[in-house]
Amino acid sequence: SVYRQMQGADYARVESMEQITAALRAEAKATEAAAQASEQARAALAQANGVIASFLDNMSHELRTPLNAIIGFSELIHSELFGAMANEKYREYAGDILGSGQNLLELVNNLLYFSRLSAGKISMNLDDFDAPDLLHRVADAERKKAETARVDIIVDVAGKPILAADPNAATRLLSGLLDNAIKFSKPGGKIILQARQRSDGACEISLNDTGAGIPESELQDIFAPFVKGKNSERDAMPGTGMGLATAKMLMDLHGGSVSIDSVEGEGTNVTLVFPAQQAGRAEVRAA
């Protein structure tokens, strides 16, 4: 009787182990299937992103060709190169076409750059240069637009902080941020550009404006591509919502960071931190 009881217990343990083993095998198969599905999803997403990037690239090129012609001919007409026009309205309309064409070309160029950046086709060639020179060049380039908007641009830099960055990317980055600040500033407002060298060798650049500001509810998604805030939508501001997304991607490529502090109705402060250049970081390419 005791032997039969022990034998029955052994059978029960074996059966239990077989059930556990079967459950573990089923779980392993499910995990493997989930991993395969995840890998397939990632591959499909990568392929879709590649198709989108290629489409945007091609469309941008196709749009730029006729746009350049429109801009060139409207500029020729507006300047009355071949003689004065009898009606001043024609010259005014040519100016409107020229301005609209230039704005549209800027949007297309930004879209093309963003698609290339997203596809990993933009590389960074890092170099050391004076941050104040960059700030003054960017401010001078945007000065006319700021004067039209009746906004003051102030460059306030103590000393000569050194910036380790790709010159072209840094110029595009700061120009975009300054253009954004001008766009959302009211007449009589001001924008202050500052730069300083931190103790760790990093260069910190900030843009502080007294514009419309950003609602707190929008700050968490501020760097997402193609996202426009309620102020942009309400005031019908031109743009595609790529500016801050591009800035974030460029700062990531530099190994730096970008942060935004803002109070709606009071203004916005954007802070960029470029790390000190390190050996082996002379060229960086988007992944």
Side-chain angles (χ1 to χ4, degrees), residues 52-211:
I52 292 171
S54 179
F55 170 77
L56 292 176
D57 201 343
N58 292 333
M59 283 302 299
S60 296
H61 282 298
E62 291 297 325
L63 286 170
R64 285 199 299 178
T65 301
L67 270 176
N68 284 325
I70 292 170
I71 291 171
F73 286 122
S74 61
E75 188 173 17
L76 184 149
I77 296 170
H78 185 255
S79 63
E80 298 177 319
L81 185 64
F82 298 119
M85 285 179 281
N87 194 318
E88 180 62 24
K89 275 293 181 183
Y90 290 139
R91 185 174 181 277
E92 181 184 334
Y93 294 154
D96 292 339
I97 295 170
L98 176 60
S100 298
Q102 289 172 334
N103 289 336
L104 184 55
L105 181 60
E106 183 180 0
L107 291 176
V108 170
N109 285 334
N110 289 338
L111 181 59
L112 175 60
Y113 188 84
F114 181 80
S115 68
R116 290 177 60 81
L117 189 62
S118 300
K121 297 180 180 179
I122 301 292
S123 61
M124 302 287 105
N125 294 303
L126 306 182
D127 196 7
D128 290 347
F129 54 95
D130 290 339
D133 291 343
L134 173 65
L135 295 188
H136 281 291
R137 280 192 287 107
V138 170
D140 290 342
E142 297 287 330
R143 193 80 65 184
K144 184 176 180 180
K145 188 178 295 184
E147 289 174 354
T148 301
R150 290 188 290 154
V151 175
D152 289 331
I153 300 177
I154 302 168
V155 178
D156 179 19
V157 182
K160 279 204 168 185
I162 300 299
L163 176 64
D166 179 281
N168 293 329
T171 300
R172 172 181 284 273
L173 174 60
L174 290 172
S175 295
L177 291 174
L178 182 55
D179 183 73
N180 227 34
I182 294 171
K183 189 189 303 181
F184 289 100
S185 292
K186 297 179 180 179
K190 64 180 179 180
I191 303 167
I192 302 175
L193 303 178
Q194 295 178 308
R196 71 182 183 94
Q197 203 85 54
R198 302 200 323 188
S199 59
D200 58 359
C203 182
E204 181 179 296
I205 295 177
S206 64
L207 295 86
N208 188 285
D209 68 61
T210 57

Side-chain angles (χ1 to χ4, degrees), residues 3-19:
Y3 172 76
R4 284 197 299 271
Q5 289 177 355
M6 292 176 62
Q7 190 177 35
D10 288 338
Y11 286 150
R13 280 194 294 270
V14 169
E15 185 178 359
S16 177
M17 289 297 295
E18 288 177 346
Q19 291 174 350

